[in-house]
Amino acid sequence: MRAAPTILHLDMDAFYASAEQASKPSLRGKAVIVGGLGPRGVVATASYEARVFGVHSAMPMAQARRLAPHAAYLVPRFGFYREISEQVMGLLRALSPLVEPLSLDEAFVDLEAGGTAWDEESARLTGVKLRADIRAVTGLTGSVGLAASKMVAKIASEQAKPDGLVLIRPGTERALLGPMSVRTLPGVGPATGDHLRRAGITTVDEIAEAGEDELVRLLGKAHGHALYAMALAHDERPVVAERETKSVSVEDTYDIDIHDRLRVGLEVQRLADRCVRRLREAGLSGRTIVLKVRRYDFSTLTRSETLRGPTDDLAVVREAAARLLESVDTTGGVRLLGVGVSGLADYTQEDLFAQAHLAAGEAAAEQHPEGETANEPAEEEPAPPTGHVWRAGQDVRHAEYGHGWVQGSGLGRVTVRFETPDSEPGRVRTFRTDDLRLEPADPLPLVARRPEAAGPPAAQSGAPA
């Protein structure tokens, strides 16, 4: 490991919920929960005010509503979050060419590679300035961990939450980790944690004391060796600027189980369309088509088909997904469907569609004796109902009242609060859902963009701004 704490880990604080609070003045300081709002929805992010009630990410939304019935419940606005994430990642890339994003709101940065930090003091100053720049550019807060390794930097950022900075001096890692729970270490989930607890191992110190041979006996060779090394604070993993994409996939969970076989087939085709769109946006193609089906009893089936070469052809992916569906029994109902493509490449095999079409033609004719094929055009899918579907948290604009967001809708009515990120908490008004003066709108920036602020502020070590 390096001699200076020049690996930085940034984790934005309750990112989705904080973005919603910054966007909606009436929600600041209130419990906000973002996620799927249907009966089977789960919590994506809960604000710190909501966490007081025991709400946390990945919790079923129904349980969250029981714990915090008066919280604001909003659907995610991923396009909005991506825009903010791009601003934050731009600040990180100004620090170093080695930035490893883990998600929209989390990344590692090798400060030494960028020449922005070389010792404890310069690392701390860089972290302080980064946090100030993030607040200035996005209006949000992030927590920063600084250490000599990725594992310890991530643990440090967790200790820094919310809105803080923690620096772990090289050489003090084992003393820091020793009393911590085994669950602190990467890769130790509930099952591994319970297995270790039954063996009398609950802290990181006890992992080190148990010894490598005992860990291998308990957990297997690969996991045992890795966990022992982490308990000794050994982590030589470099910050990797580009993480290889192994697959592209999309999936949907349905509020009500789908029993109609035709509807299941149409949903698979729709998912194939979205998956191919993502492939093309990324400039990728793939050889293996994967279908995922979670049935009414929570059993999950995965089927795959490998083609002769990589493709991004919609017809090929649709036909392959349809063939895979034929091997799955869906009579009891389906609660989740997914389509993915793996075996990725940055080129396509131009004649693959013809090859795949010829290979599948006979089977398709047998499956659809009246001439209908699995490659029906998208226009044949049932059209969505006319009029807008207003979702809680959605941005809207009214011809008279201006910009606002949907608080709720039902029984032919939609309730809107009219406010902007830089306004006072706004008034609430109710309209008919088909009111022609009300229309969907794009999110407003959290921080007004000044003409002179064409790019991110210079992010270099030095006195904090």
Side-chain angles (χ1 to χ4, degrees), residues 68 134 178 187 238 457:
I134 288 172

Short mmCIF file of all heavy atoms in Angstrom, two decimals, residues 68 134 178 187 238 457:
data_model
loop_
_atom_site.label_atom_id
_atom_site.label_comp_id
_atom_site.label_asym_id
_atom_site.label_seq_id
_atom_site.Cartn_x
_atom_site.Cartn_y
_atom_site.Cartn_z
N ALA A 68 -43.09 5.21 8.24
CA ALA A 68 -43.09 6.67 8.09
C ALA A 68 -44.29 7.08 7.24
O ALA A 68 -44.15 7.47 6.08
CB ALA A 68 -41.79 7.14 7.45
N ILE A 134 -18.41 20.77 -4.97
CA ILE A 134 -19.64 20.02 -5.20
C ILE A 134 -20.86 20.82 -4.73
O ILE A 134 -21.88 20.91 -5.42
CB ILE A 134 -19.58 18.65 -4.50
CG1 ILE A 134 -18.59 17.73 -5.23
CG2 ILE A 134 -20.96 17.99 -4.46
CD1 ILE A 134 -18.32 16.42 -4.52
N GLY A 178 -9.97 -3.10 13.68
CA GLY A 178 -10.05 -4.18 14.65
C GLY A 178 -11.39 -4.33 15.36
O GLY A 178 -12.00 -5.41 15.33
N GLY A 187 -17.79 -7.64 0.79
CA GLY A 187 -18.07 -9.04 0.50
C GLY A 187 -18.63 -9.83 1.66
O GLY A 187 -18.96 -11.01 1.50
N PRO A 238 -5.89 -1.25 -7.63
CA PRO A 238 -5.70 0.11 -8.17
C PRO A 238 -7.04 0.75 -8.50
O PRO A 238 -8.06 0.07 -8.67
CB PRO A 238 -4.89 -0.14 -9.44
CG PRO A 238 -5.36 -1.49 -9.90
CD PRO A 238 -5.62 -2.29 -8.65
N PRO A 457 -15.37 24.52 -11.45
CA PRO A 457 -14.26 25.30 -10.90
C PRO A 457 -13.00 24.49 -10.86
O PRO A 457 -13.03 23.27 -10.75
CB PRO A 457 -14.75 25.64 -9.49
CG PRO A 457 -15.83 24.64 -9.20
CD PRO A 457 -16.44 24.28 -10.50
#
